[in-house]
Amino acid sequence: MSINPHPTLPEFDYIRPASLAEACAFLAGEPEARPFLGGTDVFVRMRDGFLAPRFLVDVKGLEGMQALRFDPKKGLTLGAAVDMNRVIASKEVQAHYPLLAEACRSVASYQLRTRATIVGNICNASPAGDTIGACLLLDAELQVHSPKGERREALAQFFLGPGKTTLKPGDIVSAIHFPIPPRGGAGRYLKLGRNRLSDLSIVGVTAFGHPLADLPSGYRFRLALASVAPVPLLVPQVEELLGKGPVTTETLQEAGRLASEACAPIDDVRGSARYRAQMVRNLSVKALTEVWEALSK
Ligand SMILES: Cc1cc2nc3c(=O)[nH]c(=O)nc-3n(C[C@H](O)[C@H](O)[C@H](O)COP(=O)(O)OP(=O)(O)OC[C@H]3O[C@@H](n4cnc5c(N)ncnc54)[C@H](O)[C@@H]3O)c2cc1C
């Protein structure tokens, strides 16, 4: 790809529908239309020549999009347009979903997070999305509106490849829902970037653990990896290993090795595949050990 030294935004029509139904109908009938929230992915990709939609459909103001609701029985619902700074500042998120706040804090800068949303991060479907691992490990589901009606989609089945999801033309994600997290859980997100601000991850490791009496070890550990496969990657091998026997320094090391074996990184401008695989091992051991220490306090 040749680099354009003077990138400009291509022309487009700005559409602001009055309801979700209207927005879905417009998007379903117009293949060159695209929804947007914060626009922090869409506008950059348009400026850089990767996208040229004729219509941009602003869905931020539609019903329910700005809601942030916690119910002690049902869990947390974030309207799709809730920006990451609101998530970080929420007392309920801090109390019940601190891993989600930690993942949001790792995204770029305060300024960017006043626009960027978790749902945009997910729908962009970059394997590097920093909030996706936490959403996967917290068992998030997406509320999707389409011309045919509403449905819930488990995030675990949502990603099909880089930039590819199960969404069809006319689908709009209106909210993301998190069930009540398991009691006594602890999580950690470790991001390796080229700098501490405003860069995508070379490797991202999210770990979450909680007591579970049904398992021989007494604990369930889960691990998700960013930037090391075509889609955000769950590593069930780690869950199996750390569930079946006592958690020790050796099994945590072995878990890191399994994570490294499970990933399929590529070489790119941020790092080589070999470096990424090694950092997956190191960061997985570190994240899982920190979770284990928090659980055993
Ligand atoms: C300077 C800079 C730094 C960045 N740093 C990071 C970083 O550190 N970590 C990181 O993970 N990302 C980073 N990003 C990428 C981006 O900020 C995030 O992915 C952000 O979460 C996108 O959210 P948004 O609301 O802006 O999405 P948008 O740009 O509005 O949309 C993203 C995608 O989702 C689709 N979409 C939007 N809304 C909906 C909807 N309701 N239903 C269905 N599809 C929808 C859009 O069509 C588009 O394809 C950075 C971007 C910039 C410009």
Side-chain angles (χ1 to χ4, degrees):
M1 186 191 82
S2 63
I3 295 185
N4 176 0
H6 302 292
T8 49
L9 212 51
E11 275 193 22
F12 62 91
D13 283 342
Y14 172 84
I15 309 289
R16 197 167 179 189
S19 67
L20 268 169
E22 194 185 303
C24 289
F26 186 85
L27 285 161
E30 182 45 77
E32 288 194 60
R34 202 173 182 102
F36 78 100
L37 290 160
T40 62
D41 275 315
V42 163
F43 287 109
V44 173
R45 289 176 63 74
M46 286 171 70
R47 181 202 63 189
D48 292 347
F50 293 107
L51 285 180
R54 240 189 93 204
F55 303 99
L56 276 184
V57 182
D58 187 345
V59 296
K60 285 192 293 295
L62 300 179
E63 59 266 32
M65 288 278 185
Q66 298 287 348
L68 190 164
R69 225 176 20 249
F70 176 71
D71 179 309
K73 289 208 176 74
K74 294 186 185 152
L76 177 72
T77 302
L78 299 175
V82 172
D83 67 64
M84 293 189 190
N85 283 337
R86 269 186 76 201
V87 175
I88 294 167
S90 156
K91 293 274 178 280
E92 279 122 341
V93 173
Q94 288 165 17
H96 304 285
Y97 306 87
L99 179 61
L100 193 59
E102 184 183 16
C104 286
R105 268 196 304 273
S106 77
V107 173
S109 57
Y110 181 88
Q111 288 84 341
L112 188 105
R113 295 192 298 262
T114 60
R115 303 291 301 181
T117 62
I118 290 179
V119 168
N121 201 227
I122 288 170
C123 292
N124 191 50
S126 158
D130 280 310
T131 66
I132 297 175
C135 294
L136 282 167
L137 299 190
L138 294 167
D139 292 322
E141 288 185 339
L142 299 173
Q143 185 77 25
V144 183
H145 281 252
S146 81
K148 291 185 188 144
E150 268 187 69
R151 64 180 191 273
R152 280 264 181 117
E153 278 208 27
L155 196 58
Q157 278 83 53
F158 184 69
F159 301 103
L160 303 179
K164 293 199 176 72
T165 69
T166 55
L167 292 179
K168 304 268 181 317
D171 284 350
I172 296 178
V173 177
S174 60
I176 181 165
H177 178 73
F178 298 87
I180 296 290
R183 287 171 80 88
R188 189 78 174 98
Y189 181 52
L190 296 178
K191 172 178 178 176
L192 176 70
R194 289 176 300 183
N195 56 45
R196 282 181 175 271
L197 206 64
S198 258
D199 195 22
L200 296 177
S201 62
I202 300 170
V203 167
V205 173
T206 316
F208 185 70
H210 62 92
L212 189 62
D214 299 352
L215 293 176
S217 74
Y219 293 90
R220 184 183 190 204
F221 284 86
R222 298 174 75 197
L223 196 74
L225 305 175
S227 289
V228 290
V231 292
L233 194 68
L234 287 167
V235 193
Q237 298 90 324
V238 165
E239 179 171 349
E240 195 194 327
L241 174 78
L242 296 177
K244 76 179 178 197
V247 181
T248 62
T249 311
E250 289 71 33
T251 54
L252 289 166
Q253 289 288 340
E254 175 62 5
R257 197 190 61 74
L258 288 176
S260 177
E261 218 173 73
C263 69
I266 53 166
D267 295 324
D268 72 9
V269 63
R270 291 193 180 79
S272 68
R274 190 164 164 265
Y275 176 60
R276 284 189 152 107
Q278 285 176 352
M279 292 315 289
V280 163
R281 189 190 60 210
N282 296 354
L283 294 181
S284 296
V285 173
K286 191 169 189 303
L288 289 164
T289 303
E290 288 184 25
V291 166
W292 175 233
E293 284 167 0
L295 292 174
S296 16
K297 263 188 197 155

